[in-house]
Amino acid sequence: MDKLNQILKELNPQQKQAVEHFNGPAVVLAGAGSGKTRVLITRVFNLVYKHKIDPSAIMLVTFTNKAAKEMTERLGDVKVGFVGTFHSFCVRVLRIWGSKIGLNKNFVIYDDDDQVALMKKILKSLNLGKTFSPRYYLSIISMAKNNNFELEDYIYQNYSSFIADKIYQVCQAYEKEKQANSAVDFDDLLLLAVKLLSTNRQVLESLQKRFSYVLIDEFQDTNTVQYELARLICFSHNNLFVVGDFSQSIYSWRGAQIQNLKKIQKDFPNTKEYRLEINYRSTQQILNYAYEVISQNTTHPVLHLKTEFKGDYDVEIKGFADEEQEAVFVAETIMQLNELNNFNDFAVLFRTNAQSRYLEETLIRYNLPYRLTGGVRFYERKEIKDLLSYLRLVVNPNDSVSLDRALKIGKRRYRGFEKLLEEKDLISLPTPEIIAKVLQATSYLDLYNDKVEEDLSRLENIKEFRSISYEYPNINEFLEHIALVESEYFEGEKKTTNGVQLMTLHQAKGLEFSVVFIVGVEDGLLPHSRSLDDQQALEEERRLFYVGITRAMERLFITYAQTRKIYGRRNFSVVSRFLL
């Protein structure tokens, strides 16, 4: 108790109120940098030391293995019944009781690569290799499962009957093959666990008795099936304690349902609400700007964060003639501010992966080390290496390494490329024309569908690749430029992990940096062009911007370009509607 009392003294009044919540449902709206993990861990201590709850009766759920590991370490000697992700919990449940719903106890779990490989096999067997990409079909299956829909119902409700027949044929074949292999994917883990608990009262009651206190982190990121799993386990005792923030809900494309934070109050009567609005990360200037931005959203509650860190700098919004000047500003500002030579203090955030290219090249030119967090360097990305293999074969048909890669992309596609190589003077054409001919001859773009998030990212990278080609009309010069950029990167690469952090806004969630640059804040980029005519999507884009803003601890720079090169043409940009 002495240790607990000491910990409680270190909490602010809002945190202490949430921590001391005992029985019954509760929602903790926790703003960015407000100490939500501390609240979750301290509440466990309060349950164990003050209320004498058996630690094995406590279930603590988060979204990443990294977060689960951190929580386990912070719990120390307190060994709770479960701490981990939704998926790891479901694996445990299904290994024990899965046979009750016909699941082989030795089932294998397919990862992303396994799923793509199986879907490719299905498409080949059905002779549908050129219709849509494997990920297109997999995304349909995933969305159906995450929203707890029957696959057939979901497909025929969302697609015209002509295309729905083909999609259902593919998806059904994929599911049957997976079942024949005694395999499940990550979405199946959740869905099958819910099916088990919904149909087997004995198993459900066993889990309800086992876990009488359930704590869930990042609840705004839960999908329909995860919500149902939590509801089933908790509805007998009502001891559901969730932490989340409406303003940080940015994963609807994965199936996350922002409404789940509101739904609890309907499904669990007398739910208590607590708010954590004291921030321990950013200066007040940054928080004030963040509030001005996010308060424009009208469909969900918004927290007004306060801090004791007054700070010496206002948020700086800078406009530049083009993306090159923007990147130079980033590089030169980092050089000016980096007195302690700690590049890890700096993060450059952007909306799309394709934006990393000009930033990477500029940082290399300024001899600044960088790390591309959660991603692959531009010229190392699969789709870029694929196109490079074709272009190198145009220059040198005897390049065996490029030939091997081109054949792996698809032998049928390579036949079209072989015919293209027979064209006289192909190599003398401007690089953009060669790329256009390659894309047409190989039908390479048919591999990707812009309705799939990952495919969209690859298509945007290809657009950026084509834009670069206009700067080097001679194909040899173009390939030499790329080779030199890659060579300079490897020469400047250090074994140290000290480097400027480059990442998308989605990848930045949960992180913090002394100095943050958010670049390319223009309509069409942020907010993304796909969201401009959809109010809900637009609000999520604004939340994404808010997440980026609240990563900054001391300095925040927001930049935009007045013109930006697309397909080799310099187009005028429109400053983002989010800028105030």
Side-chain angles (χ1 to χ4, degrees), residues 219-362:
F219 202 73
Q220 77 281 346
D221 293 337
T222 54
N223 60 36
T224 301
V225 183
Q226 288 162 335
Y227 181 89
E228 182 62 12
L229 187 66
R231 190 192 69 80
L232 284 167
I233 295 173
C234 297
F235 80 82
S236 66
H237 52 66
N238 284 339
N239 290 327
L240 176 61
F241 183 94
V242 307
V243 178
D245 182 8
F246 288 96
S247 298
Q248 296 188 74
S249 177
I250 59 173
Y251 295 121
S252 65
W253 48 277
R254 288 184 187 168
Q257 297 285 338
I258 190 174
Q259 302 92 334
N260 286 350
L261 273 171
K262 294 180 180 178
K263 197 175 178 185
I264 284 183
Q265 303 193 25
K266 294 180 180 179
D267 288 347
F268 293 87
N270 303 314
T271 297
K272 294 283 184 66
E273 181 179 288
Y274 303 93
R275 295 192 171 203
L276 307 184
E277 296 178 295
I278 299 176
N279 177 279
Y280 294 94
R281 175 188 297 153
S282 308
T283 65
Q284 193 61 56
Q285 291 95 321
I286 291 171
L287 296 179
N288 287 345
Y289 185 78
Y291 180 74
E292 289 176 20
V293 168
I294 198 61
S295 61
Q296 303 302 307
N297 276 7
T298 59
T299 62
H300 59 79
V302 171
L303 301 176
H304 199 161
L305 303 180
K306 301 292 183 183
T307 184
E308 294 180 357
F309 304 148
K310 300 305 176 188
D312 299 319
Y313 305 97
D314 290 328
V315 174
E316 296 188 41
I317 301 174
K318 304 276 189 181
F320 298 93
D322 54 40
E323 67 272 24
E324 292 183 10
Q325 288 189 19
E326 180 182 52
V328 166
F329 167 77
V330 171
E332 292 184 347
T333 304
I334 290 171
M335 293 180 72
Q336 292 168 10
L337 297 180
N338 193 23
E339 296 177 359
L340 299 177
N341 202 36
N342 188 358
F343 292 101
N344 286 331
D345 286 341
F346 298 83
V348 187
L349 312 181
F350 35 83
R351 177 62 179 87
T352 69
N353 275 303
Q355 291 171 260
S356 78
R357 194 275 306 178
Y358 65 89
L359 292 163
E360 290 185 65
E361 293 193 14
T362 304

Side-chain angles (χ1 to χ4, degrees), residues 555-574:
R555 301 288 298 271
L556 174 62
F557 299 91
I558 297 170
T559 66
Y560 61 90
Q562 294 168 340
T563 66
R564 195 169 290 275
K565 191 175 283 186
I566 301 173
Y567 287 147
R569 295 182 179 179
R570 188 152 294 284
N571 298 323
F572 285 100
S573 303
V574 177

Side-chain angles (χ1 to χ4, degrees), residues 492-548:
E493 189 176 30
K494 301 175 182 177
K495 291 183 179 179
T496 177
T497 56
N498 185 24
V500 177
Q501 312 288 297
L502 303 185
M503 67 188 78
T504 66
L505 287 158
H506 281 101
Q507 290 159 346
K509 188 169 180 290
L511 304 177
E512 58 184 36
F513 307 92
S514 296
V515 182
V516 169
F517 300 83
I518 305 179
V519 301
V521 187
E522 303 144 27
D523 273 9
L525 281 177
L526 184 65
H528 195 279
S529 56
R530 291 189 304 169
S531 69
L532 297 179
D533 298 322
D534 183 332
Q535 185 60 31
Q536 287 187 337
L538 201 59
E539 289 213 345
E540 179 156 323
E541 291 288 301
R542 195 190 303 274
R543 292 195 293 269
L544 186 59
F545 186 35
Y546 172 83
V547 166

Side-chain angles (χ1 to χ4, degrees), residues 399-411:
D399 181 351
S400 62
V401 174
S402 294
L403 178 61
D404 287 344
R405 186 176 187 98
L407 289 172
K408 285 180 181 177
I409 297 167
K411 291 183 179 178

